[in-house]
Amino acid sequence: MTQSTDLGPEDRKIVTLARSARARNGVPEGAAVRDETGRTYVAGTVDLESLRLSALRTAVAMAVASGAESLEAAAVVSGAEDLTTEDLAAVRDLGGAGTPVFLAGVDGEVRERVEAG
């Protein structure tokens, strides 16, 4: 487990953004990613009849659609206990195997830090 207070300011920022996206949109998950230039992309869960995406996959798609070439870090705020292999694969595809992904509870406390690879 990684304490939220152990995170650097930029990593704390994406956790906070992910938490606010979840709360603001009333969705099960919020996510934020930071690209190689420091830009952030924030998203919530997409749950339409014809399209279902996790918050993290949505944030990665937003980064790609905006021209990001890589990711520095990602964060998910969720009630889930673990990150899915599909979410980690999306981060890995854009950021590489060593990209850190933080999983925080709905209270914003980071429960897990893993690498996308």
Side-chain angles (χ1 to χ4, degrees):
M1 175 162 51
T2 301
Q3 296 287 331
S4 292
T5 55
D6 295 342
L7 300 177
E10 293 301 311
D11 292 335
R12 272 196 305 274
K13 176 182 171 182
I14 61 172
V15 171
T16 299
L17 289 169
R19 185 175 185 213
S20 66
R22 181 186 178 278
R24 180 179 57 250
N25 297 321
V27 292
E29 295 181 336
V33 299
R34 185 176 62 248
D35 75 8
E36 75 282 359
T37 68
R39 291 180 297 182
T40 56
Y41 306 88
V42 182
T45 308
V46 174
D47 191 10
L48 301 173
E49 191 171 316
S50 63
L51 179 65
R52 287 182 173 65
L53 291 172
S54 71
L56 186 53
R57 282 179 270 166
T58 304
V60 170
M62 290 171 62
V64 170
S66 297
E69 296 180 10
S70 184
L71 294 179
E72 291 183 347
V76 179
V77 173
S78 173
E81 294 296 317
D82 295 303
L83 295 160
T84 67
T85 56
E86 295 87 2
D87 281 353
L88 292 173
V91 172
R92 184 177 56 248
D93 286 349
L94 185 57
T99 306
V101 183
F102 302 98
L103 175 61
V106 296
D107 60 358
E109 286 299 311
V110 174
R111 296 191 309 248
E112 184 175 27
R113 178 199 186 276
V114 299
E115 292 185 351

